[in-house]
Amino acid sequence: MGEHEVDQLADSDVRRVLRGAGERARRRREERRARTRRLARRWLQAVLVLGALFVLVPLAWQQLGPMLTGDSAPTAAPADDTDETPVDPTVDTEPTLLVATFDDNGEKVTRVQLFHVDTETERGAVVMVPTTMVADVPGYGLLPLGDAGAFGGLPLLELTIENQLGIAVDGAVRLTQQDWAAVLARTGGFEVDVARPIVEPGSTVRRFESGPQFLDGPRLAELLTIAVDGEDELTSFARVRQVLEGFLATAEDEGGLDELFADGAPMLTTNELDVAEQVLRALAGDAVAERVVLRTLPVTVLGSGDGLFYRLDDERAQQFVEDVLGGTEQVAADEGDGLRLEILNGNGRAGIGADVASLLVPLGHTVAITRNAEDFDNPTTRVLLYGDDDELLTAAQEIVDALGVGRIEISDVSSSVVDITVLVGADFRR
């Protein structure tokens, strides 16, 4: 373990933080939130009053107007063509949808994409994310991204991507090849251009010939998901892009999307069906090539040997997220400071890293390291800071508030790797 890890620090290396500092930070947050609630109530009251006036005044004029003007017939209130519908502040104008394809057994993630849209301009992006990209999977450590879905399903995959890219995923959808076949069938099929013959994995049977060809839903789904022996995942993305672009270009034809969502889209496994519909409706339609960019997440090759693995190209990825995915401001942080966190499992319960990360990533922080502590008999959760400035103390108190437990301490040993270590004790319950 490195010098920054909490379980190697002697008691002389840490200082307990007096509760007063956390209490002051808590009071400041409560005061801000109280002001926000008061403003919201006043805004709501004003809207209700104005709404009542807009309804009652025309009605009163209809009744009293004829008597005041001498007209025999009531006068209708003039239409205001310039009135605009107010924007609902709760509606996300730049939603991001995670689409994950699992094998038919639900054990392996074979494809991952991020669908992002600016609903005001109807411009957006589809980003192909390699399942072979090695990422820190909360609670499990460094693993290929696809393993996050295998170990923790869609929620853990979503959390890993949010943590890795620093974005907020607003909805997630899980599909299999059969599900894709049902979705793509709603388009009636379309033409694709297969670059080279594709052979069925583990055999010599040709599944696709090369050249332009019209494919129906099941065949398009196979082209989207098939794994070719010896083919690198990034190379396969050319087929994926072609199928997805064709889907978006034809999904609205003949009411395909209306038909898809009219029956609740049962082939889409998701708790955020409204987000999926919002994103797909905004991206689909005419001029997809001009409105929607299809890109691959910037990665670099990691190591060598059997099979290729990748890691995120941090330098290029930061600009990529800004340009293509709307930036990291999507993260739903409550005054989060964007700190790098280490989570140590100090109680031995399985999946504790993922549970803690799911509470702390939405604060705007990045989980840089998750691993087991040297022992599992820690009764109390400790939030260890590598600095004592006010912003760090405030962030630590927010972490304690999010976890519901925790003792804040300041280390006299510096760390260049993380800003805060969270040693999760037996007092933490999810």
Side-chain angles (χ1 to χ4, degrees):
M1 290 192 165
E3 62 178 5
H4 62 282
E5 292 172 358
V6 66
D7 46 304
Q8 288 235 332
L9 295 172
D11 290 339
S12 59
D13 293 329
V14 298
R15 290 177 282 125
R16 292 280 299 277
V17 175
L18 296 178
R19 191 66 180 174
E23 287 298 321
R24 286 195 296 273
R26 182 186 63 77
R27 286 197 297 272
R28 287 196 298 269
R29 289 195 307 277
E30 289 300 324
E31 289 168 0
R32 286 193 292 268
R33 290 167 181 164
R35 286 197 298 271
T36 301
R37 287 193 292 268
R38 286 196 298 270
L39 289 173
R41 283 196 297 270
R42 291 171 185 170
W43 179 85
L44 180 60
Q45 290 168 354
V47 169
L48 292 175
V49 170
L50 289 174
L53 289 175
F54 278 122
V55 173
L56 295 176
V57 170
L59 291 176
W61 178 254
Q62 288 179 5
Q63 299 299 321
L64 298 177
M67 293 184 290
L68 296 175
T69 62
D71 296 335
S72 58
T75 302
D80 186 0
D81 294 333
T82 63
D83 187 32
E84 296 182 357
T85 302
V87 176
D88 185 350
T90 65
V91 176
D92 191 347
T93 60
E94 291 194 50
T96 298
L97 177 71
L98 166 66
V99 177
T101 304
F102 286 69
D103 64 10
D104 289 336
N105 295 324
E107 297 175 353
K108 181 181 179 182
V109 181
T110 61
R111 301 288 185 210
V112 174
Q113 296 97 32
L114 293 170
F115 287 62
H116 174 76
V117 66
D118 182 336
T119 56
E120 295 180 349
T121 63
E122 292 192 348
R123 293 182 177 273
V126 178
V127 177
M128 269 64 67
V129 182
T131 62
T132 49
M133 181 182 74
V134 174
D136 194 305
V137 179
Y140 296 90
L142 290 172
L143 293 169
L145 182 65
D147 288 351
F151 292 149
L154 203 55
L156 185 58
L157 181 63
E158 179 180 348
L159 176 63
T160 302
I161 289 176
E162 285 185 324
N163 182 57
Q164 187 78 6
L165 300 184
I167 67 171
V169 174
D170 303 286
V173 172
R174 171 191 175 120
L175 302 99
T176 63
Q177 180 180 326
Q178 292 181 345
D179 296 329
W180 269 116
V183 170
L184 293 167
R186 305 298 176 100
T187 68
F190 48 84
E191 185 175 282
V192 295
D193 190 356
V194 180
R196 61 184 61 86
I198 297 177
V199 177
E200 182 177 308
S203 75
T204 59
V205 177
R206 284 196 177 187
R207 296 299 303 163
F208 296 92
E209 299 295 337
S210 61
Q213 51 202 283
F214 182 91
L215 300 178
D216 62 10
R219 291 284 283 158
L220 288 167
E222 183 180 3
L223 186 64
L224 174 73
T225 59
I226 191 170
V228 179
D229 290 339
E231 182 183 56
D232 171 57
E233 185 178 12
L234 296 192
T235 303
S236 72
F237 285 170
R239 296 195 305 273
V240 175
R241 281 194 293 269
Q242 197 172 170
V243 173
L244 294 179
E245 187 172 16
F247 166 66
L248 293 176
T250 59
E252 283 193 332
D253 294 350
E254 307 298 331
L257 284 181
D258 292 335
E259 181 184 351
L260 175 65
F261 290 105
D263 57 358
M267 71 289 293
L268 304 182
T269 302
T270 178
N271 291 327
E272 301 290 348
L273 187 61
D274 56 336
V275 175
E277 182 172 5
Q278 179 190 12
V279 171
L280 292 180
R281 286 192 181 278
L283 291 179
D286 297 332
V288 167
E290 289 77 25
R291 295 186 299 104
V292 182
V293 296
L294 290 91
R295 302 276 295 278
T296 298
L297 188 69
V299 293
T300 58
V301 175
L302 179 65
S304 60
D306 295 336
L308 279 178
F309 290 91
Y310 300 92
R311 64 174 177 82
L312 187 66
D313 187 328
D314 292 327
E315 185 175 344
R316 288 194 298 146
Q318 183 176 2
Q319 189 62 48
F320 181 91
V321 169
E322 291 291 333
D323 295 341
V324 179
L325 292 174
T328 56
E329 67 270 12
Q330 292 184 79
V331 176
D334 180 13
E335 301 178 29
D337 296 301
L339 303 175
R340 292 175 62 82
L341 309 181
E342 175 185 42
I343 299 175
L344 300 178
N345 182 350
N347 60 32
R349 292 199 297 272
I352 204 73
D355 288 342
V356 171
S358 67
L359 296 173
L360 302 187
V361 169
L363 295 178
H365 305 308
T366 298
V367 177
I369 301 171
T370 57
R371 67 178 76 188
N372 290 333
E374 285 195 340
D375 56 70
F376 293 142
D377 59 355
N378 296 273
T380 303
T381 297
R382 301 165 64 192
V383 179
L384 186 68
L385 315 185
Y386 300 102
D388 58 0
D389 59 84
D390 289 341
E391 290 184 358
L392 202 59
L393 288 168
T394 299
Q397 186 59 53
E398 289 174 349
I399 289 172
V400 169
D401 293 344
L403 298 179
V405 294
R407 185 178 73 208
I408 299 173
E409 302 174 359
I410 298 175
S411 172
D412 290 330
V413 178
S414 63
S415 170
S416 60
V417 180
V418 295
D419 302 296
I420 296 178
T421 292
V422 180
L423 174 64
V424 187
D427 56 348
F428 173 75
R429 293 286 186 273
R430 179 70 192 270

